[in-house]
């Protein structure tokens, strides 16, 4: 399985768009009350049938590419992608 890490904004946006995804964010407070954001990519709206009925709201909301990419930079993350269309966020500081 091939794995690639995308760092450049245009490469990340192109991959997500080609996979029919949309950027999404969830904001949440930690135990001290500080707000944080969790990044995600929403692919669900392009499936013919949902694979599962959600039991609760995960708090993810679609957002603009500008907001999503700014948060990606703020958290110093890159996008690692696999041939099987899987992905994960990785810390840019840990890349060789």
């Amino acid at each position: 399985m091939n794995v690639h890490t995308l760092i450049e904004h245009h490469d990340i946006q192109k991959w997500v768009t080609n996979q029919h995804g949309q950027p999404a964010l969830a904001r949440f407070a930690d135990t001290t009350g500080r707000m944080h954001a969790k990044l995600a990519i929403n692919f669900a709206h392009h499936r013919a049938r949902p694979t599962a009925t959600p039991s609760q709201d995960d708090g993810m909301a679609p957002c603009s590419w500008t907001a999503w990419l700014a948060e990606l930079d703020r958290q110093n993350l890159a996008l690692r992608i696999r041939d099987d269309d899987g992905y994960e966020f990785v810390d840019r500081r840990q890349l060789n």
Side-chain angles (χ1 to χ4, degrees):
M1 177 183 321
N2 290 325
V3 176
H4 305 282
T5 303
L6 305 176
I7 298 171
E8 300 296 326
H9 288 182
H10 65 276
D11 293 333
I12 293 168
Q13 188 171 354
K14 181 179 177 180
W15 182 84
V16 172
T17 301
N18 286 343
Q19 304 306 313
H20 305 288
Q22 288 186 323
L25 279 173
R27 300 221 180 262
F28 62 95
D30 65 16
T31 56
T32 66
R34 289 184 53 204
M35 293 302 292
H36 297 276
K38 180 179 177 184
L39 291 163
I41 302 169
N42 184 355
F43 298 103
H45 65 283
H46 289 281
R47 294 190 177 126
R49 294 183 188 181
T51 56
T53 303
S55 59
Q56 66 183 24
D57 182 5
D58 64 4
M60 287 294 165
C63 67
S64 70
W65 276 109
T66 302
W68 194 87
L69 292 168
E71 186 61 32
L72 186 84
D73 287 344
R74 191 188 72 70
Q75 294 185 30
N76 208 19
L77 297 174
L79 187 66
R80 182 166 290 153
I81 58 171
R82 298 186 309 265
D83 286 348
D84 64 359
D85 297 335
Y87 75 93
E88 65 180 327
F89 296 103
V90 294
D91 189 331
R92 288 184 206 164
R93 296 169 291 208
Q94 304 301 316
L95 300 175
N96 295 338

